[in-house]
Amino acid sequence: MKSTRLCSLFALLFTSGASAESYVIGVENLPFVPHYSIDQQGRYQGFARELFDQFASHSGVQLSYKPLPANRLLAALLEGEVDFKYPDSGNWAQTQKADKDLHYSQAVVAYVDGVLVAPPRQGQALEQLKRLGMVSGWTPWGYQQGIEAGQIQLTYSDDLRKMIRQTLKKDTDGAYFNVVVATHYLDNIRARPGALVFDPKLPHTRGNFHLSTLRHPAVLQRFDRFLLERQAEVAALKDKYRVEANLDSQYLGVEQWKVDFLKRQKAREALQ
């Protein structure tokens, strides 16, 4: 009898594990720290990984991550190679998505894309920006008119590291990228904090990253509920990785030690 009960228990556990929902999230195979990156063992990591892992634990689903080249990711979603795509936005790749019934989650994280320049160039007129550094695959929103008119020349690089290097060498007048990611790279990886700074007077784009799917809208609804019900935990995770650092303040793109100094200085002035 005892043996029978043990066999029944093992069978129940096996059946429960086998029937667990399992989904694959297609993710970008590139360094985009602190949002996400792929380590040397091919493992997805960063803010997005921890967020989705928390959702999986909260919802009882199994999630795996499939890193793919950014330009291959949408096709993988549409062809059913992956169940979800991250990051995504309804504003991206609209031609390829035409007539596709894609579903998007609520906003996962906000971002700003803009131009980083050498400090002496900050605040200069747009007309002074003649050479703009770009990472291949990116679209310089807000600069199309100047590009089409031949007033701005684009210089493409394979990755952020090479683009930043070009701008530091003054081969370009500015570098267009995600401001938080570029600033993190300069502060923590290149160890050149403040060497390039975001110029808020130049055209820049604000938006949000979303999770998208073609076939699993019900799971997205559960993910949206998770974002709502666990707002405090999600906010703490954003603070931990600083993925929205100073997005809505005058300090966007400023290294953190300088932000802290300026805030202390302003507080002292208010008391005088």
Side-chain angles (χ1 to χ4, degrees):
M1 182 65 69
K2 184 176 181 181
S3 176
T4 301
R5 285 199 300 269
L6 286 174
C7 289
S8 298
L9 177 60
F10 288 142
L12 177 62
L13 291 173
F14 178 79
T15 302
S16 174
S19 61
E21 296 177 63
S22 180
Y23 304 100
V24 178
I25 301 181
V27 297
E28 295 182 337
N29 186 9
L30 52 80
F32 203 71
V33 184
H35 287 272
Y36 49 83
S37 63
I38 309 298
D39 68 13
Q40 293 183 345
Q41 288 71 44
R43 294 173 300 200
Y44 190 54
Q45 58 185 6
F47 162 79
R49 171 63 188 264
E50 192 164 343
L51 177 70
F52 292 135
D53 281 357
Q54 285 189 11
F55 166 64
S57 177
H58 172 74
S59 304
V61 301
Q62 294 179 354
L63 295 178
S64 58
Y65 306 93
K66 185 168 186 175
L68 293 166
N71 61 2
R72 173 78 184 95
L73 201 50
L74 178 58
L77 177 67
L78 298 178
E79 294 167 6
E81 183 179 340
V82 297
D83 299 302
F84 297 91
K85 176 183 183 292
Y86 185 82
D88 205 349
S89 168
N91 297 323
W92 300 353
Q94 293 183 352
T95 301
Q96 296 95 310
K97 295 176 178 178
D99 301 324
K100 306 296 183 182
D101 190 21
L102 282 173
H103 306 270
Y104 299 90
S105 72
Q106 295 298 312
V108 174
V109 62
Y111 70 86
V112 174
D113 292 342
V115 175
L116 288 90
V117 299
R121 295 189 61 93
Q122 190 178 35
Q124 292 186 0
L126 175 60
E127 290 72 24
Q128 300 300 314
L129 187 71
K130 304 295 185 181
R131 302 164 301 167
L132 183 59
M134 295 286 301
V135 172
S136 298
W138 279 66
T139 301
W141 301 111
Y143 295 86
Q144 290 90 336
Q145 185 174 352
I147 295 168
E148 293 172 0
Q151 298 166 349
I152 299 176
Q153 176 185 350
L154 296 181
T155 300
Y156 285 99
S157 300
D158 294 334
D159 54 37
L160 172 63
R161 177 184 62 84
K162 294 178 181 178
M163 180 182 67
I164 291 294
R165 183 170 179 268
Q166 283 187 322
T167 306
L168 290 174
K169 291 173 58 181
K170 300 183 180 181
D171 292 338
T172 62
D173 300 321
Y176 184 93
F177 207 71
N178 179 285
V179 176
V180 166
V181 174
T183 301
H184 182 278
Y185 173 80
L186 283 162
D187 290 355
N188 300 284
I189 301 174
R190 187 63 187 257
R192 294 285 302 276
L196 299 177
V197 295
F198 170 60
D199 194 334
K201 294 186 178 180
L202 292 175
H204 54 279
T205 301
R206 290 182 177 269
N208 296 283
F209 292 155
H210 303 259
L211 182 66
S212 66
T213 188
L214 189 62
R215 299 175 177 84
H216 304 288
V219 179
L220 276 192
Q221 292 176 2
R222 291 158 63 184
F223 180 62
D224 287 343
R225 287 198 300 271
F226 163 79
L227 293 177
L228 180 62
E229 294 170 358
R230 299 300 180 99
Q231 288 183 61
E233 291 93 330
V234 173
L237 199 59
K238 289 180 178 180
D239 287 342
K240 172 184 175 181
Y241 284 95
R242 301 187 54 76
V243 289
E244 291 181 344
N246 303 310
L247 283 192
D248 296 315
S249 81
Q250 60 183 308
Y251 304 118
L252 175 60
V254 178
E255 56 269 35
Q256 190 57 41
W257 72 267
K258 187 177 291 185
V259 172
D260 295 338
F261 170 77
L262 292 172
K263 286 183 177 179
R264 289 195 300 268
Q265 186 178 53
K266 184 175 291 187
R268 285 195 298 268
E269 292 173 352
L271 295 173
Q272 294 177 355

